[in-house]
Amino acid sequence: MYTNAGQVFDIAKANYRTLVGYCSKLESEGYFMQAEKILHKTIFQTLDLYIQSMLINIAIYGGKLGEDEVKFIVSLPDSKQYDISEVEDISNEIIRQAESVVKSPPIIMQLCSLRDREKNSNMSSAYMDMILNIIVAMSYLNANRDEFLPQFIMDYYHSVQAFIFFSDRAERINERYLFRKASGDITMPGEGFKDEDVEEEKDEAVPILKEVRANENMIKNEELPKQAEPEPIPIKEEDRKKRLDELVAELEALVGLDDVKNEVHSLINLINIRQLRKKKGLPSPAISYHMVFTGSPGTGKTTVARLIASIYKELGVLSKGGLVEVDRSGLVAGYVGQTALKVTEVVNKALGGVLFIDEAYSLSAPGAANDFGGEAIDTLVKLMEDHRNDLVVIVAGYTKEMNDFLQTNTGLISRFNKFIEFKDYNEDDLIAIMDAMSGKMEMKLEDKAVEKLRSYLSGMDKTSKRVFGNARGIRNLFEKMLVGQANRLSHLEEPTIEDLSIITAEDFEF
């Protein structure tokens, strides 16, 4: 019934049984618990649905859907997730459903990757290899596989590679491995892709796999190119101090924020003394550099966070000093396991610098169904500990909401012990910010325009001030002023430099 005296199907079945073993491991360790509540399927039903969908796709992709292909699709998994038994049963609707399943993020592979990160295993790469082996086995039923298999393999790999975790660089899947698979190789890739922590289920076809593996030329680690590590450029101490002084001066030049400036100065002094004690052989207490910025929007939190990232670099706390800014949408995904991957990707991007999470309280949504904000928080707490020597996290948001947020996870409370409150700007501060904005454009508000602005600011109630957004509101007003000035000057035949530099009271309305 199958080519090569049934060996192809036997090998595919052995790969499938190994996948079942992986799923058993994930289930027993609780990785699929949340997904099962959402999908209303067991992990084994989810696996069978994915495999049958993949096999339908490869058959359609190869331009052939015959009796042998249908028997393969029906016989391989333990359960039938599609009501098919012959070619005529595979309707266009089933084909569309199968395409949708394959295009969706691979849930089980994501959970394998999550487990790999937590246990330093290789389950996700081995899982992908088993799927590829099954795909190749199915292709042997089509004599034209050489024409379509390579492209299908590459398309599939590129669609899932983001969900594969490699615990060691030497274990990465390279082009040679993919070429072998695309050429119809249905053997195992070698011990580098085998998860020793998961026992294979015994199957009569396993000896076939072992025999093939014994005759296989394995990919040697030394064949992988080594990336040269760039040598750090030494920085003179006087240059570092000069740069630090410039950053402090930039902080001092910010309008208002007196309490914030005092807190940052105290932090700099604390780090300097701690490093001095260490230099003189005295014990230095471990301190957390993570911070909580509380206050309304538009009070300079992002600006100060960027300065602190650079200050930390000059003080030797961080290696790079950059700032990565995200909010909930940059951390939380809509599928089980994907949120952890998303958070990990953001953290890796921020390593050596500061990760600034604006409106961090939105990550916690008590009572919300199917919300993965809690997963984002759990993953973040773990990664903060893993990278405590070269990552600083600053979370920001409204004062009350941030206090509630920190109570949602005990790990947050223990890691964030520095709080800096950013108070709302007063009228004088906001006008000074307007002056600074217009000054950068070599423009100036006339006295009547300043009076009109002050009157507007003083007339706002508490709710209006919150909506206004402090410096953000001033920026919006300034842009309206520029539009008003442009409309006014459009009636002049040839505006002078003075005309172009003055903003009048008639240039804006509230």
Side-chain angles (χ1 to χ4, degrees):
M1 161 170 135
Y2 301 101
T3 60
N4 299 335
Q7 284 193 4
V8 170
F9 180 79
D10 290 339
I11 292 176
K13 193 72 174 181
N15 278 277
Y16 170 75
R17 296 252 60 88
T18 304
L19 290 175
V20 171
Y22 279 45
C23 289
S24 297
K25 195 73 173 177
L26 291 171
E27 183 185 48
S28 66
E29 294 176 351
Y31 284 96
F32 196 73
M33 187 181 303
Q34 185 66 27
E36 187 167 359
K37 294 178 182 177
I38 297 171
L39 300 175
H40 304 293
K41 287 181 179 292
T42 68
I43 191 170
F44 306 104
Q45 291 171 328
T46 304
L47 173 67
D48 290 351
L49 176 64
Y50 185 74
I51 288 178
Q52 286 190 320
S53 298
M54 182 64 68
L55 294 179
I56 291 173
N57 271 262
I58 184 66
I60 299 299
Y61 197 95
K64 179 184 178 183
L65 187 58
E67 183 180 348
D68 285 347
E69 283 88 352
V70 174
K71 290 179 180 178
F72 192 103
I73 294 169
V74 173
S75 303
L76 185 67
D78 290 338
S79 67
K80 283 178 58 176
Q81 295 301 307
Y82 292 105
D83 187 15
I84 55 177
S85 57
E86 54 188 27
V87 176
E88 289 75 15
D89 292 335
I90 302 183
S91 63
N92 289 334
E93 179 60 29
I94 288 179
I95 292 173
R96 283 193 293 269
Q97 291 177 13
E99 289 177 344
S100 177
V101 170
V102 173
K103 288 180 180 179
S104 301
I107 299 297
I108 297 178
M109 188 180 293
Q110 293 179 64
L111 296 178
C112 288
S113 182
L114 177 62
R115 183 185 186 276
D116 287 346
R117 294 177 188 278
E118 294 180 352
K119 299 181 181 296
N120 198 35
S121 57
N122 299 307
M123 186 182 281
S124 58
S125 57
Y127 178 95
M128 188 213 66
D129 180 68
M130 304 302 164
I131 294 293
L132 288 182
N133 286 334
I134 292 173
I135 290 173
V136 173
M138 176 74 170
S139 75
Y140 267 83
L141 301 178
N142 191 326
N144 298 320
R145 67 178 180 274
D146 291 343
E147 299 177 7
F148 69 87
L149 183 61
Q151 189 61 50
F152 188 90
I153 293 288
M154 295 305 297
D155 288 346
Y156 175 72
Y157 174 68
H158 289 141
S159 71
V160 302
Q161 62 178 333
F163 305 109
I164 305 171
F165 175 78
F166 299 97
S167 61
D168 189 282
R169 182 175 168 273
E171 295 165 353
R172 290 186 181 276
I173 294 173
N174 62 10
E175 291 183 1
R176 179 179 173 182
Y177 166 79
L178 291 174
F179 175 78
R180 288 164 51 203
K181 290 298 173 189
S183 300
D185 182 356
I186 52 176
T187 64
M188 299 299 189
E191 297 300 322
F193 296 104
K194 183 177 175 62
D195 191 337
E196 299 296 346
D197 190 38
V198 180
E199 295 184 2
E200 286 189 31
E201 291 196 11
K202 300 301 180 181
D203 188 280
E204 63 276 9
V206 170
I208 299 174
L209 295 175
K210 291 181 177 179
E211 180 181 350
V212 175
R213 190 186 306 136
N215 297 324
E216 179 67 20
N217 293 322
M218 301 300 181
I219 301 174
K220 302 299 182 181
N221 290 346
E222 56 267 22
E223 293 179 4
L224 297 173
K226 304 294 183 181
Q227 292 184 346
E229 294 290 336
E231 295 185 3
I233 300 174
I235 301 176
K236 296 180 179 179
E237 186 60 34
E238 55 267 28
D239 292 337
R240 189 186 300 276
K241 186 178 184 306
K242 180 181 178 182
R243 177 58 182 153
L244 180 60
D245 290 341
E246 291 174 350
L247 291 168
V248 172
E250 191 175 343
L251 175 69
E252 288 295 330
L254 297 176
V255 174
L257 305 178
D258 291 339
D259 292 342
V260 174
K261 294 172 185 176
N262 291 336
E263 288 285 351
V264 175
H265 280 297
S266 297
L267 185 61
I268 293 173
N269 293 337
L270 176 64
I271 295 172
N272 281 330
I273 293 301
R274 182 176 181 274
Q275 291 178 342
L276 184 61
R277 287 179 59 86
K278 187 176 180 180
K279 188 176 181 180
K280 294 184 178 295
L282 296 172
S284 300
I287 61 175
S288 173
Y289 298 106
H290 307 300
M291 297 186 219
V292 179
F293 286 1
T294 60
S296 304
T299 48
K301 295 189 289 293
T302 304
T303 300
V304 173
R306 186 170 287 107
L307 285 172
I308 286 178
S310 298
I311 288 172
Y312 274 169
K313 176 181 181 296
E314 302 307 327
L315 291 172
V317 174
L318 295 171
S319 61
K320 298 178 182 177
L323 181 126
V324 173
E325 181 180 2
V326 295
D327 56 14
R328 176 188 167 89
S329 64
L331 297 173
V332 179
Y335 300 94
V336 176
Q338 194 172 7
T339 290
L341 300 178
K342 206 169 184 181
V343 173
T344 302
E345 181 181 358
V346 170
V347 167
N348 287 339
K349 185 178 178 181
L351 287 179
V354 168
L355 174 60
F356 181 78
I357 306 175
D358 198 15
E359 297 181 348
Y361 53 83
S362 64
L363 291 176
S364 60
N370 302 338
D371 182 79
F372 302 111
E375 182 183 350
I377 295 173
D378 293 341
T379 306
L380 178 64
V381 168
K382 181 182 183 301
L383 293 175
M384 287 171 66
E385 178 63 24
D386 293 345
H387 304 291
R388 61 185 177 276
N389 294 325
D390 203 22
L391 174 71
V392 169
V393 177
I394 299 178
V395 292
Y398 290 111
T399 303
K400 179 183 180 304
E401 285 84 346
M402 289 305 297
N403 288 334
D404 294 340
F405 164 70
L406 294 175
Q407 300 297 321
T408 62
N409 189 301
T410 56
L412 293 174
I413 299 175
S414 62
R415 285 167 177 79
F416 291 99
N417 57 14
K418 290 182 176 59
F419 293 77
I420 299 182
E421 182 179 3
F422 288 69
K423 297 180 180 178
D424 289 339
Y425 291 114
N426 58 36
E427 295 167 21
D428 290 334
D429 291 336
L430 293 174
I431 291 174
I433 291 172
M434 177 66 79
D435 286 338
M437 287 183 181
S438 57
K440 289 181 179 179
M441 300 291 294
E442 297 187 15
M443 303 175 74
K444 184 179 180 181
L445 276 68
E446 66 174 10
D447 291 343
K448 289 184 179 180
V450 174
E451 292 174 7
K452 185 176 181 179
L453 176 60
R454 185 181 294 277
S455 176
Y456 171 71
L457 295 174
S458 62
M460 288 192 296
D461 57 21
K462 188 175 182 179
T463 302
S464 298
K465 287 181 178 178
R466 180 162 179 160
V467 173
F468 183 73
N470 290 283
R472 294 182 187 177
I474 289 294
R475 186 183 302 110
N476 293 335
L477 277 180
F478 182 62
E479 291 176 358
K480 289 182 179 179
M481 292 177 182
L482 294 180
V483 173
Q485 185 208 44
N487 291 334
R488 175 173 58 83
L489 296 179
S490 65
H491 299 292
L492 300 180
E493 186 173 338
E494 190 173 345
T496 65
I497 292 179
E498 183 177 359
D499 292 331
L500 296 169
S501 303
I502 295 295
I503 294 178
T504 67
E506 64 181 284
D507 289 338
F508 57 98
E509 296 293 338
F510 305 116

